[in-house]
Amino acid sequence: MSDRPTMTTTAGAPIPDNQNTMTAGPRGGVMLQDYQLIEKLAHQNRERIPERVVHAKGWGAYGTLKITGDISKYTKAKCLQPGAETPMLARFSTVAGELGAADHERDVRGFALKFYTPEGNWDLVGNNTPVFFIRDPLKFPDFIHTQKRHPRTNLRSATAMWDFWSLSPESLHQVTILMSDRGLPVDPMHMNGYGSHTYSFWNDAGERYWVKFHFKTQQSHKHFTNEEGEALIGKTREGYQEALFGGIERGEFPRWKVQVQIMTEEQAENTSYNPFDLTKVWPHAEFPPIDIGIMELNRNADNYFAEIEQAAFSPSNIVPGISHSPDKMLQARVFSYADAHRYRLGTHYENIPVNQPRCPVHHYHRDGQMNTYGGLRTGNPDAYYEPNSVNGPFEDASSKEPPLKISGDMARYNHREGNDDYSQPRALFNLFDDAQKGRLFSNIAAAMGGVPGEIVERQLAHFKLVHPDYEAGVRAALERLHGYKADTISAQPTAAE
Ligand code: NDP
Ligand code: HEM
């Protein structure tokens, strides 16, 4: 007798032969009753699920968040109290490429974190950039369409990208980061992460603070140039998976210093910019980052599909002491992600092991496809509605966040009015040394290949408003790379209404 386990059907019956189909005679045909064959083929046809509509290509690992600082005066969240250690999952990703895209493409990187706290899952679904391309969620599907394939050519379109960006000057800050060195990190370990949005903290006294989250790489920043990235893609399209998975297998556990910036409600009334605008950072000099702990990744998933592909992150997942803010983009994301998960993974996506909270879960949702609860989530078969007098799970008023004063007439407010799209990109541009600026100019020029002059000029006009050297540098790089000449075109900066 072999000590290997017996192979079975999914119904548990032993399989006598996994090499030879059941046929009528050695030459066939195949018997319909060979259910094992049918099941194998049918199961295979269902192995793929829809890829994420954005951030399809990703790499992930488990780890721990350890809190060393004391921010208990700002938040009651248990996972952020001094000494707390919280198991977590991280998934990094590119935004535009499909599931099979090469890892070393110039793109923003997703930096999605799921903390399995004692009070429920807290997801911080951020990027490796502190800002984003747009500030109004109504523009998100259009923006993403410009990053994906053209409907006719089925190719990505530089024209669509620059047409949209040049008509959306709020994108300048993020475009500058994307085209700078940080737009192509060597791997997930050598980049920062940011919650990007303004979130809120609230404490036991019911006081609210606005907060931004930062994850500073302890491996140092490392980037590739376009040329280095292209050379690497020629050798491997999976460089990030190899680096992250391989590093953790070797016991090299990457770490990020976790920091928060805190703003009081009163301060938020008096900033020169809208503190809930996702295209803006809070300057460090005004809102100094506070060290609160370390995040370490130290365990690979055993089954990439089950644990990383099926991971479902959502900004809607908050815990007592941490909440949202009026940021319009964040508000839209609170809806969008859980909706995406129901489509991509099914009604019970939160019951997939990687998404399951590590604390008791009691709710009154019932039934639905793939319900594997084995009983009601209320823990009581008579408690299938609420309110009830059968001692079913009951609300807990202590998790109610403090009220937020909101005022204003309902309208579609022009998000461009009173908004300065140029100062913060300028502050970033001024951080770059000459070599960094040179690479910024070349990267932009390279990305503008084939774009009509009218669009190029419209974008150059925006660069000029950031800094005359920015426009001049990109123009010179366009001439060098593409023989570009402005000839008769003269454009003014434009923003689509
Ligand atoms: P500071 O000089 O105090 O902060 C600069 C920040 O920029 C640091 O967080 C640093 O991150 C980051 N940084 C440094 N070099 C680069 C680079 N080449 N590309 C992207 N980021 C870089 O200035 P301010 O807070 O006044 O911000 C000035 C500009 O810096 C902003 O307009 C914004 O573009 C950028 N920035 C600001 C952040 C913020 O939260 N205030 C966060 C990230 C960028 P690190 O320490 O990891 O090197
Ligand atoms: C993924 C929507 C803006 C970071 C996704 C997904 C959707 C989505 C539908 C796929 C989810 C899935 O299938 O699992 C939106 C909308 C936005 C927006 C509607 C704006 C209105 C942002 C911003 C950030 C961000 C501003 C970062 C600050 C991410 C990340 C992922 C993702 C990291 C991948 C998560 C993972 O690893 O599974 N987004 N997004 N998105 N988004 Fe957004």
Side-chain angles (χ1 to χ4, degrees):
M1 280 282 284
S2 153
D3 57 3
R4 292 173 69 179
T6 298
M7 184 179 176
T8 70
T9 65
T10 53
I15 286 185
D17 182 347
N18 194 39
Q19 306 302 319
N20 301 296
T21 298
M22 189 183 289
T23 53
R27 294 189 174 187
V30 172
M31 305 303 292
L32 183 60
Q33 77 178 64
D34 188 352
Y35 179 69
Q36 189 198 343
L37 170 70
I38 291 169
E39 187 185 69
K40 277 180 88 168
L41 296 179
H43 194 93
Q44 184 184 36
N45 285 352
R46 288 156 181 79
E47 280 180 3
R48 296 283 81 81
I49 60 172
E51 64 178 38
R52 288 167 177 81
V53 64
V54 282
H55 295 264
K57 183 78 190 280
W59 323 274
Y62 296 98
T64 316
L65 171 68
K66 287 187 189 161
I67 300 300
T68 49
D70 185 352
I71 50 168
S72 55
K73 64 179 172 187
Y74 301 122
T75 177
K76 64 183 272 181
K78 288 195 177 144
C79 64
L80 296 180
Q81 299 310 308
E85 290 195 16
T86 305
M88 45 103 27
L89 171 75
R91 181 178 179 271
F92 310 102
S93 48
T94 45
V95 180
E98 293 94 356
L99 204 52
D103 294 352
H104 284 101
E105 288 182 353
R106 178 170 297 280
D107 199 351
V108 169
R109 264 64 183 167
F111 201 102
L113 309 173
K114 184 182 287 295
F115 301 101
Y116 303 97
T117 92
E119 301 170 291
N121 287 351
W122 169 39
D123 293 356
L124 197 58
V125 198
N127 280 334
N128 70 332
T129 61
V131 294
F132 198 66
F133 296 95
I134 50 173
R135 63 167 76 93
D136 192 307
L138 203 53
K139 292 170 70 86
F140 185 76
D142 290 296
F143 164 60
I144 292 302
H145 289 164
T146 71
Q147 297 295 302
K148 296 279 185 176
R149 292 168 189 270
H150 185 285
R152 180 150 187 269
T153 63
N154 199 34
L155 298 169
R156 293 185 67 191
S157 166
T159 298
M161 291 181 208
W162 289 104
D163 195 21
F164 182 91
W165 283 335
S166 63
L167 291 168
S168 309
E170 70 270 29
S171 63
L172 270 168
H173 200 175
Q174 179 81 321
V175 167
T176 304
I177 297 175
L178 172 64
M179 296 297 166
S180 77
D181 289 348
R182 292 197 184 183
L184 183 39
V186 298
D187 57 41
M189 294 83 93
H190 292 89
M191 64 186 196
N192 285 351
Y194 302 90
S196 309
H197 296 279
T198 296
Y199 289 86
S200 53
F201 275 160
W202 52 280
N203 61 18
D204 277 320
E207 295 156 336
R208 174 185 286 99
Y209 297 86
W210 304 117
V211 57
K212 279 195 189 280
F213 295 95
H214 303 258
F215 297 80
K216 294 287 186 86
T217 174
Q218 300 301 285
Q219 290 65 243
S220 80
H221 291 279
K222 278 193 191 159
H223 321 103
F224 283 132
T225 61
N226 278 355
E227 294 69 29
E228 289 167 333
E230 281 160 18
L232 204 66
I233 288 172
K235 293 187 193 138
T236 175
R237 297 171 63 78
E238 316 297 338
Y240 273 42
Q241 179 70 11
E242 289 161 4
L244 180 65
F245 184 88
I248 291 177
E249 286 298 281
R250 290 191 299 273
E252 297 158 15
F253 300 150
R255 292 176 147 219
W256 286 262
K257 184 160 73 178
V258 187
Q259 297 178 322
V260 292
Q261 286 176 289
I262 301 283
M263 187 186 283
T264 64
E265 289 186 284
E266 196 187 353
Q267 284 172 318
E269 302 287 329
N270 298 305
T271 47
S272 59
Y273 49 90
N274 172 4
F276 309 115
D277 175 350
L278 185 56
T279 68
K280 304 281 193 298
V281 295
W282 296 355
H284 288 167
E286 289 173 47
F287 301 97
I290 304 167
D291 292 352
I292 65 164
I294 289 285
M295 180 180 91
E296 179 187 271
L297 298 183
N298 46 33
R299 182 164 68 85
N300 280 317
D302 290 327
N303 180 332
Y304 179 89
F305 176 83
E307 298 166 72
I308 307 300
E309 188 60 12
Q310 291 199 116
F313 300 88
S314 174
S316 54
N317 285 346
I318 50 167
V319 292
I322 305 173
S323 190
H324 302 115
S325 79
D327 179 340
K328 299 172 196 183
M329 293 283 289
L330 178 58
Q331 301 253 324
R333 295 182 69 205
V334 168
F335 155 74
S336 177
Y337 287 67
D339 182 59
H341 303 327
R342 289 184 198 102
Y343 164 69
R344 187 168 70 85
L345 301 166
T347 317
H348 292 287
Y349 67 92
E350 269 165 329
N351 203 37
I352 297 171
V354 69
N355 300 322
Q356 273 173 10
R358 310 277 170 87
C359 63
V361 174
H362 298 297
H363 58 69
Y364 287 83
H365 298 311
R366 280 190 53 184
D367 306 344
Q369 261 188 347
M370 298 298 293
N371 181 332
T372 56
Y373 296 159
L376 293 187
R377 271 296 201 221
T378 59
N380 175 349
D382 293 323
Y384 59 96
Y385 56 89
E386 213 282 327
N388 61 56
S389 47
V390 293
N391 275 333
F394 192 57
E395 65 205 24
D396 171 6
S398 73
S399 62
K400 194 181 285 178
E401 72 176 283
L404 173 66
K405 195 172 285 170
I406 295 183
S407 64
D409 296 338
M410 187 175 82
R412 294 183 184 276
Y413 290 94
N414 182 346
H415 66 84
R416 296 242 161 69
E417 247 162 45
N419 244 315
D420 170 2
D421 291 322
Y422 303 98
S423 294
Q424 290 206 354
R426 186 177 309 124
L428 180 63
F429 184 75
N430 287 334
L431 276 181
F432 298 156
D433 62 25
D434 285 346
Q436 288 173 315
K437 284 180 184 156
R439 290 191 291 275
L440 172 75
F441 303 149
S442 306
N443 292 339
I444 291 176
M448 279 185 162
V451 176
E454 195 181 311
I455 294 175
V456 170
E457 288 300 319
R458 197 196 290 146
Q459 185 67 40
L460 285 169
H462 288 304
F463 290 147
K464 194 169 190 171
L465 289 174
V466 175
H467 199 294
D469 293 353
Y470 197 167
E471 188 252 5
V474 176
R475 189 180 290 282
L478 283 164
E479 283 170 11
R480 204 172 55 246
L481 273 178
H482 306 300
Y484 176 79
K485 290 269 176 284
D487 49 53
T488 56
I489 301 165
S490 100
Q492 295 302 313
T494 317
E497 288 305 319

